[in-house]
Amino acid sequence: MSSFDTKIAVLLRDDLASWQRLNVTAFLVSGLAHVTPELMGEPYADADGTEYLPMFGQPVMVFSGTADVLTAAHARALGRGLKFSIFTDELFHTGNDDDNRAAVRAVPGEKLALAGMAVHGPKNAVDKILKGASLHR
């Protein structure tokens, strides 16, 4: 049983290639770290004193679902007023952050071709957002 009141979750579309799943996950969680710095744990150090960067202080749960599950999760997250990050299919074809933002800005929210999203919030709210998704294997 988790001792956390909140949940960090990534939802990936179930038809992504392995490299896409990894890439999308990395991009998505970076947004959560930016807007929720309190999620970050303390820096690490090994026995030799070499220091390493901090990571999230709680687990990141990764889920998968169909495009329809992602669309519904997007709508539910918006309805609950939670901040979340998205990754769209167009971002696989851009090469920099400016082009990424322009690609998302060019498409109305209800027509986004979502490859994934990441959300952090109260466990109950995140669980409801993820309805229909399954734990990624």
Side-chain angles (χ1 to χ4, degrees), residues 25-37:
T25 299
F27 272 100
L28 290 171
V29 296
S30 69
L32 296 179
H34 176 76
V35 299
T36 323

Side-chain angles (χ1 to χ4, degrees), residues 53-78:
L53 294 174
M55 296 183 280
F56 287 133
Q58 71 181 83
V60 176
M61 305 301 295
V62 181
F63 296 83
S64 65
T66 64
D68 289 341
V69 168
L70 266 150
T71 298
H74 178 269
R76 287 192 289 266
L78 286 172

Side-chain angles (χ1 to χ4, degrees), residues 16-99:
L16 299 178
S18 292
W19 73 268
Q20 290 173 316
R21 288 191 300 266
L22 296 170
N23 183 267
V24 170
T25 299
F27 272 100
L28 290 171
V29 296
S30 69
L32 296 179
H34 176 76
V35 299
T36 323
E38 63 271 17
L39 287 175
M40 300 306 294
E42 295 297 320
Y44 288 75
D46 62 26
D48 299 323
T50 303
E51 294 185 13
Y52 304 96
L53 294 174
M55 296 183 280
F56 287 133
Q58 71 181 83
V60 176
M61 305 301 295
V62 181
F63 296 83
S64 65
T66 64
D68 289 341
V69 168
L70 266 150
T71 298
H74 178 269
R76 287 192 289 266
L78 286 172
R80 291 186 175 276
L82 292 180
K83 291 185 178 183
F84 58 99
S85 54
I86 62 165
F87 195 102
T88 67
D89 285 348
E90 291 80 14
L91 303 187
F92 290 121
H93 308 290
T94 56
N96 62 72
D97 196 42
D98 289 336
D99 290 342

